[in-house]
């Protein structure tokens, strides 16, 4: 196995490995690379749904995927699988998020106990566009001026549950653009990673985010400043997808976004999510 750091602020490609046939020793090395590089990429994988689920399970128990915007599950018999796709078959979308931009976010941070990791496996990708970008939230925290670090460390942030990253309203919720009243949960704005012990900014999603107890205008101004700081190119990396790519990222210390792409082309990826340990605070 060869681990090749991307040279950017995060991410490494792991070569010479077949995710269908991993020894325990290989897995320990992969897990350490993931914790160190935050995002890991494997190319040229040929996985069945069962292989993908089995590899994902090595990192922990899997979450069931949220239901689609249509209210349906994605893949019969595999509730762990979420399909990210713009493809429509027989008038019905086979997946979520369409072909538009998916804005910067951390997966499912609107839950009390959000998943620690997410994995995407590319089946079909468009000839251009649809790249996925990741940013390093340890670096975002570490590079804050001291006064801002101190201020941020005492604050709680509401993570809005209303919209997904494609801008669709989640099942059972009413559209709103009021950050104070919208549905969501509070997490500390600065979190300590339970495995690495490092501190990271935890921003979730910008839309309807709200800093507990602050006047709305002050919350908006501080959040704008933190978001600009956290999503700079210097602390980001992106993957240009090829079929057979597997990317695993750590939701506790990264955010991600996706570029839009030509809606007449096809993009199909399967996603799994790995639960945090029970009761593990964000
Ligand atoms: C996601 O936000 O989980 C999907 C990212 C992508 O479509 O590349």
């Amino acid at each position: 196995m060869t681990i090749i750091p991307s040279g950017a602020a995060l991410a490494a490609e792991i070569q010479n490995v077949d995710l269908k046939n991993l020894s325990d020793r290989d897995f320990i090395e992969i897990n350490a690379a993931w914790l160190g590089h935050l995002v890991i990429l494997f190319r040229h994988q040929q996985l069945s749904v069962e292989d993908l689920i089995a590899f994902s399970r090595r990192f922990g128990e899997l979450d069931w995927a949220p239901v689609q915007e249509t209210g349906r599950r994605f893949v019969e018999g595999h509730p762990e699988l979420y399909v990210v796709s713009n493809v429509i078959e027989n008038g019905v979308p086979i997946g979520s998020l369409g072909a538009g931009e998916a804005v910067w976010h951390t997966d499912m941070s609107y839950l009390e106990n959000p998943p620690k990791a997410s994995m995407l496996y590319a089946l079909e990708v468009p000839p251009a566009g649809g790249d996925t970008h990741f940013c390093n939230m340890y670096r975002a925290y570490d590079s804050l001026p001291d006064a801002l670090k101190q201020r941020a460390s005492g604050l709680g942030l509401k993570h809005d549950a209303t919209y997904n990253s494609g801008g669709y309203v989640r099942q059972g919720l009413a559209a709103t653009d009021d950050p104070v009243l919208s549905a969501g949960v509070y997490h500390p704005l600065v979190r300590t990673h339970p495995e690495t012990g490092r501190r990271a900014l935890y921003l979730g999603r910008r839309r309807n985010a709200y800093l507990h107890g602050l006047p709305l205008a002050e919350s908006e101004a501080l959040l704008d400043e933190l978001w600009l700081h956290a999503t700079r190119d210097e602390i980001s990396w992106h993957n240009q997808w090829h079929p057979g790519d597997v990317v695993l990222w750590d939701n506790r210390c990264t955010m991600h976004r996706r570029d839009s792409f030509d809606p007449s082309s096809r993009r199909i990826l399967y996603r799994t999510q790995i639960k945090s340990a029970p009761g593990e605070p964000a």
Side-chain angles (χ1 to χ4, degrees), residues 82 84-85 96-98 102-103 105 107 118 120 130-134 165 205 241 249 256-259 261 267 269 271 273:
Y82 182 84
V84 175
S85 185
S96 264
L97 300 183
V103 296
H105 66 283
D107 286 330
S118 304
L120 276 177
D131 295 356
T132 307
H133 301 244
F134 297 87
S165 46
R205 279 183 170 70
W241 290 94
W249 66 88
H256 57 282
R257 62 170 280 271
R258 183 203 63 202
D259 292 333
F261 56 97
R267 187 176 187 271
L269 298 95
R271 189 182 80 186
Q273 287 187 312

Side-chain angles (χ1 to χ4, degrees), residues 3 42 50 57 92 168 243 248 271:
I3 299 171
F42 307 86
E50 288 75 18
R57 278 217 178 105
V92 182
Y168 300 96
L248 172 73
R271 189 182 80 186

Side-chain angles (χ1 to χ4, degrees), residues 95-116:
S96 264
L97 300 183
E101 180 186 358
V103 296
W104 282 111
H105 66 283
T106 305
D107 286 330
M108 294 165 78
S109 62
Y110 56 90
L111 300 178
E112 286 293 350
N113 204 5
K116 69 174 182 182

Side-chain angles (χ1 to χ4, degrees), residues 67-193:
V67 289
Q68 291 187 70
E69 289 102 15
T70 56
R72 294 164 33 144
R73 288 234 167 256
F74 293 95
V75 182
E76 269 322 307
H78 293 294
E80 307 91 339
L81 272 194
Y82 182 84
V83 179
V84 175
S85 185
N86 64 318
V87 173
I88 297 181
E89 277 172 8
N90 303 321
V92 182
I94 65 165
S96 264
L97 300 183
E101 180 186 358
V103 296
W104 282 111
H105 66 283
T106 305
D107 286 330
M108 294 165 78
S109 62
Y110 56 90
L111 300 178
E112 286 293 350
N113 204 5
K116 69 174 182 182
S118 304
M119 192 181 299
L120 276 177
Y121 173 49
L123 295 139
E124 291 185 52
V125 300
D131 295 356
T132 307
H133 301 244
F134 297 87
C135 64
N136 181 333
M137 299 301 277
Y138 294 135
R139 289 272 185 99
Y141 173 75
D142 291 341
S143 57
L144 284 175
D146 282 346
L148 197 47
K149 254 187 205 164
Q150 271 197 347
R151 183 157 188 232
S153 297
L155 290 170
L157 174 66
K158 179 161 52 171
H159 293 238
D160 174 66
T162 315
Y163 300 99
N164 72 15
S165 46
Y168 300 96
V169 176
R170 290 183 201 283
Q171 272 259 308
L173 291 172
T176 174
D177 284 308
D178 183 337
V180 181
L181 297 179
S182 74
V185 302
Y186 282 93
H187 294 297
L189 179 57
V190 177
R191 65 181 295 177
T192 302
H193 194 292

Side-chain angles (χ1 to χ4, degrees), residues 265-281:
S265 57
R266 290 167 62 93
R267 187 176 187 271
I268 307 177
L269 298 95
Y270 284 168
R271 189 182 80 186
T272 55
Q273 287 187 312
I274 299 118
K275 288 186 184 186
S276 297
E280 181 178 295

